[in-house]
Amino acid sequence: MKRRLLTLLLMLIFTAAAGYAAQEPVMEDVQLDLRSYDVIEVPAGTFIPVISAQEISTQYCPVGYKVRFTSTNDLFMHETNIIPENSEFYGYVEQIHEPVVGTNASMVIKINKVILPDGFEMPIRGYIYTPNNNLIGGGISEPASWIKMPHYQSGIGNNTTLQIRPGRERKMGSHTTITSGENRIIILSDSAWITHTLTN
């Protein structure tokens, strides 16, 4: 009797399992309503005015040193404030060239992200701009000597003017520093795609 009940129970279990496996799940045709938004392209070459949040120097900042800048103005495009004032730009020192005789130190600073005042973070590609291919510093160092040259003037009194010009030799170059609070400009090296904007 027990054996028959056990056999019957096992047959019921296998039949139910086979019936369940034969049923395929039916997916309902549900169309989700997606949030619509406009993507704003900020083209490469766009300038963003910023100030430095810290002092950055070739004397003590190594390659890879993390830097932060803060935007000083709202950046509008198509009547939309795409990068509000006080947005924070983060990056790092990409290159450093030590000072040598005749040339001051220089550095290149890359910017790789911006955080808006509400905390939203976006990746960007840019550099701290200079007309010298974004190289900060790198100018000619001070002359090591000055040469006096007299200039004789003809006319009343035959006056002589003494002119001083720099000699050919130059001093050892000095380190380049961006002071805290110094005004700078970020130039975008690639288009930035803005999908998040702040509203008042």
Side-chain angles (χ1 to χ4, degrees), residues 5-80:
L5 283 174
L6 183 61
T7 305
L8 185 61
L9 184 61
L10 286 174
M11 286 177 59
L12 286 172
I13 290 173
F14 285 127
T15 304
Y20 180 75
Q23 292 179 355
E24 293 184 20
V26 177
M27 297 292 290
E28 293 183 23
D29 187 18
V30 177
Q31 184 65 37
L32 298 176
D33 292 331
L34 298 177
R35 179 176 71 90
S36 62
Y37 59 86
D38 293 328
V39 177
I40 301 173
E41 179 187 2
V42 184
T46 300
F47 289 125
I48 304 169
V50 293
I51 60 171
S52 176
Q54 74 221 70
E55 186 172 273
I56 309 163
S57 175
T58 57
Q59 186 172 7
Y60 51 80
C61 296
V63 171
Y65 183 81
K66 305 217 178 301
V67 297
R68 179 168 59 96
F69 294 83
T70 305
S71 61
T72 57
N73 298 322
D74 294 327
L75 181 64
F76 284 86
M77 183 167 284
H78 307 299
E79 299 180 356
T80 302

Side-chain angles (χ1 to χ4, degrees), residues 83-88 115-120 198:
I83 298 181
E85 183 180 359
N86 296 323
S87 296
E88 294 185 343
I115 298 179
L116 302 183
D118 68 345
F120 188 82
L198 297 183

Side-chain angles (χ1 to χ4, degrees), residues 128-182:
I128 297 299
Y129 172 75
T130 69
N132 187 21
N133 201 24
N134 303 327
L135 190 67
I136 303 165
I140 299 173
S141 63
E142 292 290 322
S145 62
W146 295 89
I147 299 172
K148 298 177 182 178
M149 294 182 59
H151 287 276
Y152 301 102
Q153 300 175 357
S154 61
I156 301 173
N158 293 328
N159 294 330
T160 302
T161 303
L162 191 62
Q163 181 186 23
I164 300 176
R165 68 170 180 84
R168 298 181 69 178
E169 296 180 0
R170 295 281 170 172
K171 292 181 181 178
M172 180 70 177
S174 60
H175 283 281
T176 297
T177 301
I178 295 177
T179 59
S180 178
E182 183 175 327

